[in-house]
Amino acid sequence: MTQRTPPRVVILDYGSGNLRSAQRAVERTGAEVAVTADPHAALEADGLVVPGVGAFAACAEGLRAVGGDRVIGKRLAGGRPVLGICVGMQVLFERGVEHGVTSEGCGEWPGTVERLRADVVPHMGWNTVEAPQGSRLFAGLDRDARFYFVHSYGVLDWTLTPASAHIAPPLVTWSTHGAPFVAAVENGPLSAVQFHPEKSGDAGARLLANWVGTL
């Protein structure tokens, strides 16, 4: 019997993020994981993880500095999976507004990352999500599964609609802190989560295993 070769995953190192904990968490799924800023390696990997912590503007600038925006675009054009995590999800949107300053994102999805509408910010701790039917990321997870969030900004309005009835709409998962915000998106090869799966215990491990299982 032929043994399946472990999928190769690159954690993109662009100076922002939680790299080692993401690496360890993805390695536990059985994948071969490298942390690198090398665009060739990032293009060739079976899966690319774009982590991110801190400010939208700094992450977007760091990502562009290593050509990460172009790598993401090329991968998606070829149908190759990308997973954004936390601010690594936020920079996939068109823009972010922090302290009245607007910064440009990758523009893979329309929409604005803005301050959460809640009495207490940051949103820090464990929370549940509402995943849609058919979600592959959340497959096998109970509805009361909790994930670890730490963020002050998020996407409050999802505006993308399919250009054609023949195109499957993205699967959008929501959570609530003061008001609903986008907690995850599954859009063909592009997936992203606002929470930190690498810090979310068994639920996060299952989600990462589900993603790696698609590679």
Side-chain angles (χ1 to χ4, degrees):
M1 190 171 79
T2 304
Q3 195 167 17
R4 183 176 184 251
T5 303
R8 296 171 296 112
V9 174
V10 160
I11 311 287
L12 187 63
D13 181 2
Y14 63 99
S16 176
N18 223 11
L19 300 174
R20 298 304 168 190
S21 58
Q23 179 184 17
R24 288 192 293 270
V26 178
E27 282 177 339
R28 284 193 287 270
T29 70
E32 289 183 1
V33 183
V35 178
T36 180
D38 177 23
H40 179 73
L43 274 173
E44 294 301 315
D46 297 311
L48 176 67
V49 174
V50 183
V53 295
F56 182 103
C59 284
E61 182 180 350
L63 190 64
R64 281 192 285 271
V66 301
D69 54 337
R70 293 191 297 276
V71 168
I72 292 168
K74 287 180 180 178
R75 286 189 62 90
L76 297 178
R80 312 200 73 182
V82 176
L83 174 66
I85 295 176
C86 195
V87 184
M89 166 179 164
Q90 295 178 1
V91 297
L92 297 172
F93 286 83
E94 275 183 320
R95 69 187 73 82
V97 180
E98 294 174 324
H99 308 293
V101 177
T102 300
S103 304
E104 183 181 355
C106 292
E108 297 297 341
W109 291 315
T112 300
V113 177
E114 57 189 304
R115 187 174 173 83
L116 296 173
R117 295 172 190 152
D119 293 336
V120 177
V121 172
H123 172 214
M124 185 164 59
W126 298 83
N127 205 345
T128 55
V129 302
E130 295 180 25
Q133 290 286 332
S135 168
R136 297 186 70 176
L137 285 182
F138 294 93
L141 285 161
D142 294 335
R143 290 178 61 85
D144 60 356
R146 291 179 175 269
F147 299 88
Y148 186 77
F149 291 84
V150 54
H151 62 124
S152 297
Y153 296 83
V155 175
L156 308 184
D157 297 303
W158 177 259
T159 59
L160 178 64
T161 55
S164 164
H166 302 292
I167 299 175
L171 297 178
V172 181
T173 292
W174 294 86
S175 187
T176 298
H177 179 67
F181 65 89
V182 175
V185 182
E186 298 163 69
N187 185 197
L190 182 58
S191 301
V193 293
Q194 177 60 71
F195 51 83
H196 286 275
E198 76 278 14
K199 296 180 178 178
S200 295
D202 290 345
R206 178 60 183 265
L207 182 139
L208 288 172
N210 286 345
W211 180 71
V212 169
T214 69
L215 303 180

